Amino acid sequence: MLTEIIYRVAEELQEDRQPYRHRPSSACKCIRSLVYHALGIEAKRLPGRALLVFDDGNWGEELTIDWISKSAYKVHSRQMKVDIFEVNGKMVSGSIDGILQTPLGDEYLFEHKNINHFSFQRIQEDPTTAHEYFVQCALYLHGLQKVQPDIKEAVLCIKNKNTAQYCEYLVSHDYLSDKAEVYRFEGTQKGELVHIFNSTVAITYKVFELVDYCVDTQTIPTRPHQRGDWQCSYCAWEETCWEGYVEEVEAMPQGVDLTPHLRSEVVKEYLDKKALKAEIEKREKELRKEIQTALDAHSIKAGYIGDVEVVRNFREVKGFLVQPRTDEILTVKKRKERECTTGK
């Protein structure tokens, strides 16, 4: 009852999308979606659940800063506007999350991100997947250094909104060389270098310059993603972007010699991997059947061989068009070291 009410209220009360302007947070976004926005093409209204996700993100930042304020560290100048650079006479600007001040009086740009568990894990394993966040920090640092030259580093605080776990990165940006470096934080100390990127301001300038060109010429740039990519599922212009795609492809030339456009090794490797995958899947089915037959023959639900555990479980499967059924799940995995030593 309440779920539907909450979603409906969020949808009905959502504000109209703001007119397009060049923003640091847009620097790494899909160029095609930026052009759609800049051209004033109507975007899909966001569902209520998505609006609640964004709202949770905003409150996550508030909670983090509230906890910081209870310590000797302070966050001031919240949502302060920072001008970065001009493109075609238009200022690229944005609002920072704040300035972090240490007990010793040192100051850093403070940026906060509140993300889901899987995105958080991905960034922990490979920090380069947070490139968009690092670029945003570098652009803000570029703008801040024009008025506050002493602020040359940013603290990027990323919160797992599912577990309240944090990871922190120190982002530095050199104003003259336009080079940025990203380090992990280890306690209160700068840790290992995890990412370097160059020409942040220069590349961003070209992105926004292209948006302006497309608006002036009323043209739409090529899609940077493939159909079905996850980025598209989060885009408000997904339907507009892919409308007529089937007809586009059907109208394209056929029987074309691809040699000038595609390396033959790529196609050959694709075929090899596809054949290998089929062979592996076939063998996997044969081995699975042999394991299940052995367990059935001796009436065993679960057991182990050395450091490998074999378990049979069941899962109920329901669907709209099929009758409910129970599937058997065979799990074969490495046993934990403690289990191996105790014999369990």
Side-chain angles (χ1 to χ4, degrees), residues 199-223:
S199 306
T200 314
V201 173
I203 292 172
T204 303
Y205 183 93
K206 289 185 178 297
V207 169
F208 293 146
E209 192 176 45
L210 177 58
V211 172
D212 286 344
Y213 171 80
C214 290
V215 171
D216 291 341
T217 59
Q218 296 289 292
T219 55
I220 304 296
T222 304
R223 299 182 186 92

Side-chain angles (χ1 to χ4, degrees), residues 91-122:
M91 180 59 70
V92 178
S93 62
S95 299
I96 61 173
D97 291 339
I99 302 292
L100 177 69
Q101 187 178 69
T102 72
L104 297 177
D106 297 325
E107 293 191 322
Y108 300 83
L109 166 67
F110 175 77
E111 284 296 311
H112 184 279
K113 302 297 178 184
N114 204 48
I115 63 177
N116 64 55
H117 180 67
F118 300 106
S119 298
F120 186 88
Q121 284 187 313
R122 185 172 64 246

Side-chain angles (χ1 to χ4, degrees), residues 270-282:
Y270 178 81
L271 285 176
D272 290 343
K273 291 291 189 291
K274 188 176 179 181
L276 180 62
K277 180 181 177 182
E279 183 180 339
I280 290 174
E281 289 177 348
K282 178 182 177 183

